[in-house]
Amino acid sequence: MSKKINLRSTAWFGTSDKNGFMYRSWMKNQGIPDHEFDGRPIIGICNTWSELTPCNSHFRKIAEHVKKGVLEAGGYPVEFPVFSNGESNLRPTAMFTRNLASMDVEEAIRGNPIDGVVLLTGCDKTTPALLMGAASCDIPTIVVTGGPMLNGKHKGKDIGAGTIVWQMNEDLKAGKITLNEFLSAESGMSRSVGTCNTMGTASTMACMAEALGTSLPHNAAIPAVDSRRYVLAHLSGSRIVDMVKEDLRLSHILTKEAFENAIKVNAAIGGSTNAVIHLKAIAGRIGVDLNLEDWSRVGRGMPTIVDLQPSGRFLMEEFYYSGGLPAVIRRMGEANLLPHPKALTVNGKSIWDNCHNSPIYNDEVIRKIENPINKDGGMCILHGNLAPKGAVLKPSAATPELMKHRGRAVVFEDFDDYKAKIDDPNLDVDETCILVLKNVGPKGYPGMAEVGNMGLPPKILAKGVTDMVRISDARMSGTAYGTVVLHVAPEAMAGGPLAAVKNGDFIELDAYAGKLNLEITDEELTLRLQHLKESSNEINNNISGGYRNLYINHVLQADEGCDFDFLVGCRGSDIPRHSH
Ligand code: FES
């Protein structure tokens, strides 16, 4: 080490007193020799491995490669587990435990002898949860995601994880396929470890981590089982040691400029609406002021140039083979569409230095700016008397003709009500109606489930109609599609106007103008909300204690990132007191 650096870990291992004895001695029971405590950087490997999170089930192997890199660069790796919130198994929704995981990460980093940390993330919520926790500590941090799974295969064709389920389920309900045909796709969808291979939330958040500058170039797209994923893990392990020596902390990278780059990249890749919530939450932890208007101001006008499902045709394997995210950033920069080319990344170079020469191998997958799959891919942020604090619609997943639409509301009071009625042939609905789902927001579900892309009534599907306007306070899976208005804030359970919508009301959506309005007078709206107040209080008082109680009482609304009110902010890495 050429320059003397102040390591956090010396507060544990660097003294010759009783405390130093105790801290070192217990660590030595793992076979660590004396010389490893000579003041070298201690690198935490924050692992979300779990057999219940199949997308992250290969992370022990990734951790081994990170360790090799750390050792090679003169650091000492220590792997530790944190709560693994896997999307596919966890109920009520992995979003319910995102903040819990972030608390685990924050306290594990701050309370332990760690000088820098490698975050092993993959499945949807693991990336934001770990970045949120690390941002609240602000030590040198690098993200290694697990990579997407191989392309799914069914009847000789590629199928995308998640997206195929929505498609085939609608075909089943429309009577186009049998149950046996539906189930026959199950084994071919998930053929390897790794995250969903569409541009769903996991791939989006991996791209966001790379666009923010928190991971090495190409991290987002290398397939989970490609040997280059393990090379990247190795290199990340080496790099974090140097980041500690350079004191290159997360706050140097997660600047407002980095978030603006990420918003623009999200439009270019046709990324998930969930990114709107997660980026806000991460920004809040590092002290960057990000709001919904930034998505309109920065993101609108950026064409979607990555032709991946669910907005387009291909999958993450093709994305990597075509050049991955650096190729997208090159396209953006060459068209002057990268807002902040000088933004710093974890390798110490700017994002433009990293990407300006990146090869682009396939113009169909990573299209030229002048040949996009959607001319204006940025998120539509909507406001109006139905969403005073905003709502979100993803235009690249929507039907252009429905982006401006007026229709009669068909209302479901909650998800159970929706399930009970949607298949009823007597449901009073046609394809011009707007489906409205209430009480599926952060407090209402609780956890803001991914049910906003509610399936259409079978009698509408049978006509060959594949999309209708849908409005809710829920989220939508990043693998889903449709003209779906999401994240309505405030949510119904928090007394938002969504709660007041009745069957037969008319709603006007104008996504181009950013408007979402319920066609009733202000007086009528106030009266209806007043009437609902008592019953919603009854529901709020009827919570069952435990984490659920903490969640409902402290979760912020969608426009504020759904973080807990008491977790927003950077609390730094000051070393807690000795316990002995
Ligand atoms: Fe884990 Fe999709 S379920 S990434």
Side-chain angles (χ1 to χ4, degrees):
M1 244 176 280
S2 54
K3 190 174 127 197
K4 178 79 184 145
I5 48 168
N6 294 320
L7 297 174
R8 292 182 82 243
S9 58
T10 56
W12 280 262
F13 303 134
T15 65
S16 303
D17 56 5
K18 177 197 73 175
N19 287 318
F21 173 109
M22 293 176 81
Y23 288 125
R24 286 186 301 271
S25 178
W26 264 282
M27 287 296 278
K28 284 179 177 178
N29 79 355
Q30 300 174 91
I32 303 173
D34 277 335
H35 70 264
E36 300 286 4
F37 297 102
D38 62 358
R40 64 190 64 196
I42 307 291
I43 303 299
I45 301 172
C46 180
N47 201 340
T48 50
W49 169 86
S50 168
E51 287 176 344
L52 287 166
T53 306
C55 316
N56 297 12
S57 61
H58 55 307
F59 279 19
R60 282 174 157 174
K61 190 172 172 192
I62 290 186
E64 289 310 312
H65 287 269
V66 173
K67 285 178 188 174
K68 285 181 193 173
V70 171
L71 290 167
E72 185 181 88
Y76 190 82
V78 281
E79 183 183 348
F80 63 98
V82 288
F83 188 92
S84 182
N85 43 344
E87 199 70 25
S88 56
N89 282 322
L90 209 50
R91 293 184 177 196
T93 155
M95 185 65 180
F96 180 61
T97 47
R98 184 201 63 176
N99 298 345
L100 178 67
S102 79
M103 290 163 76
D104 182 354
V105 172
E106 176 181 346
E107 299 307 327
I109 291 174
R110 187 178 297 111
N112 274 302
I114 291 170
D115 300 304
V117 64
V118 181
L119 306 177
L120 300 193
T121 77
C123 197
D124 299 18
K125 306 302 176 292
T126 58
T127 303
L130 269 56
L131 268 171
M132 288 161 69
S136 282
C137 294
D138 192 24
I139 66 171
T141 301
I142 195 165
V143 175
V144 176
T145 51
M149 27 167 136
L150 296 175
N151 288 2
K153 296 283 177 187
H154 180 57
K155 292 186 173 175
K157 289 190 180 146
D158 285 347
I159 56 170
T163 303
I164 191 67
V165 183
W166 312 124
Q167 286 169 347
M168 290 186 78
N169 191 44
E170 294 202 341
D171 287 349
L172 181 67
K173 284 175 95 177
K176 292 183 194 164
I177 58 171
T178 64
L179 183 61
N180 272 350
E181 283 175 289
F182 176 68
L183 294 175
S184 68
E186 189 178 296
S187 304
M189 187 185 83
S190 313
R191 297 193 304 123
S192 78
V193 292
T195 52
C196 292
N197 47 25
T198 51
M199 190 51 80
T201 304
S203 299
T204 298
M205 290 312 299
C207 288
M208 293 296 92
E210 191 173 327
L212 285 166
T214 59
S215 61
L216 292 181
H218 284 293
N219 174 65
I222 303 172
V225 295
D226 192 310
S227 57
R228 289 166 286 190
R229 169 69 44 196
Y230 299 102
V231 172
L232 183 129
H234 183 123
L235 296 176
S236 299
S238 296
R239 178 58 197 153
I240 189 67
V241 177
D242 287 336
M243 287 173 69
V244 170
K245 294 174 187 172
E246 296 162 13
D247 194 25
L248 180 51
R249 285 177 281 124
L250 215 38
S251 57
H252 301 158
I253 292 164
L254 288 178
T255 59
K256 178 84 182 214
E257 288 74 21
F259 283 98
E260 292 190 350
N261 280 343
I263 287 173
K264 202 100 177 175
V265 166
N266 188 275
I269 62 175
S272 163
T273 45
N274 283 318
V276 180
I277 291 175
H278 296 322
L279 288 194
K280 171 67 182 174
I282 296 165
R285 294 298 188 94
I286 202 76
V288 166
D289 182 22
L290 193 74
N291 53 55
L292 284 180
E293 278 55 52
D294 290 317
W295 286 83
S296 297
R297 180 178 57 81
V298 180
R300 297 296 289 158
M302 177 67 215
T304 298
I305 56 170
V306 176
D307 194 350
L308 253 61
Q309 296 181 29
S311 301
R313 294 174 292 165
F314 300 102
L315 295 168
M316 287 296 283
E317 260 192 82
E318 282 85 28
F319 184 45
Y320 178 54
Y321 305 147
S322 303
L325 198 68
V328 176
I329 291 169
R330 177 180 174 177
R331 288 248 200 262
M332 293 171 65
E334 286 177 344
N336 287 323
L337 289 169
L338 183 66
H340 305 289
K342 290 185 181 162
L344 185 63
T345 73
V346 284
N347 67 2
K349 297 179 187 167
S350 75
I351 193 161
W352 189 239
D353 283 343
N354 286 338
C355 303
H356 73 282
N357 270 332
S358 288
I360 306 170
Y361 298 112
N362 188 325
D363 291 346
E364 268 198 82
V365 179
I366 301 174
R367 302 229 197 152
K368 294 187 171 160
I369 298 284
E370 57 274 20
N371 181 34
I373 65 165
N374 187 305
K375 280 192 181 133
D376 191 353
M379 294 293 170
C380 289
I381 304 300
L382 311 170
H383 283 97
N385 70 352
L386 195 48
K389 293 198 165 178
V392 170
L393 181 143
K394 179 177 170 180
S396 62
T399 303
E401 298 74 42
L402 289 174
M403 295 269 285
K404 191 169 172 10
H405 181 78
R406 179 177 179 272
R408 174 170 61 86
V410 175
V411 177
F412 306 99
E413 291 300 323
D414 56 32
F415 195 53
D416 287 337
D417 187 37
Y418 162 77
K419 283 195 291 186
K421 291 177 180 164
I422 193 68
D423 292 340
D424 184 348
N426 295 319
L427 184 67
D428 183 15
V429 64
D430 63 48
E431 56 273 33
T432 67
C433 290
I434 293 181
L435 304 181
V436 176
L437 177 58
K438 304 177 185 176
N439 294 310
V440 280
K443 292 176 191 288
Y445 196 71
M448 205 178 177
E450 292 188 330
V451 295
N453 59 314
M454 56 195 119
L456 306 189
K459 66 180 182 182
I460 306 284
L461 290 167
K463 291 189 206 173
V465 175
T466 55
D467 196 9
M468 287 171 69
V469 175
R470 288 155 271 179
I471 299 175
S472 73
D473 45 15
R475 296 176 300 116
M476 169 172 91
S477 165
T479 61
Y481 49 86
T483 311
V484 185
V485 176
L486 303 154
H487 310 181
V488 170
E491 62 175 304
M493 181 64 84
L498 188 70
V501 183
K502 290 183 175 173
N503 275 320
D505 286 344
F506 273 81
I507 295 173
E508 184 163 34
L509 164 70
D510 186 346
Y512 300 110
K515 290 198 174 128
L516 183 66
N517 282 307
L518 178 64
E519 293 183 354
I520 61 172
T521 63
D522 292 348
E523 292 75 27
E524 170 70 10
L525 183 56
T526 308
L527 214 64
R528 286 191 195 178
L529 288 173
Q530 190 64 37
H531 184 70
L532 285 166
K533 216 170 179 181
E534 278 178 27
S535 54
S536 89
N537 277 344
E538 271 171 31
I539 296 166
N540 267 323
N541 290 335
N542 190 27
I543 51 180
S544 56
Y547 175 72
R548 190 170 186 267
N549 196 333
L550 177 87
Y551 186 93
I552 292 174
N553 285 328
H554 292 281
V555 71
L556 296 168
Q557 290 295 287
D559 61 306
E560 296 178 279
C562 300
D563 203 355
F564 290 155
D565 49 10
F566 61 89
L567 288 177
V568 176
C570 180
R571 287 164 284 281
S573 60
D574 281 356
I575 295 156
R577 283 185 297 194
H578 290 292
S579 62
H580 38 72

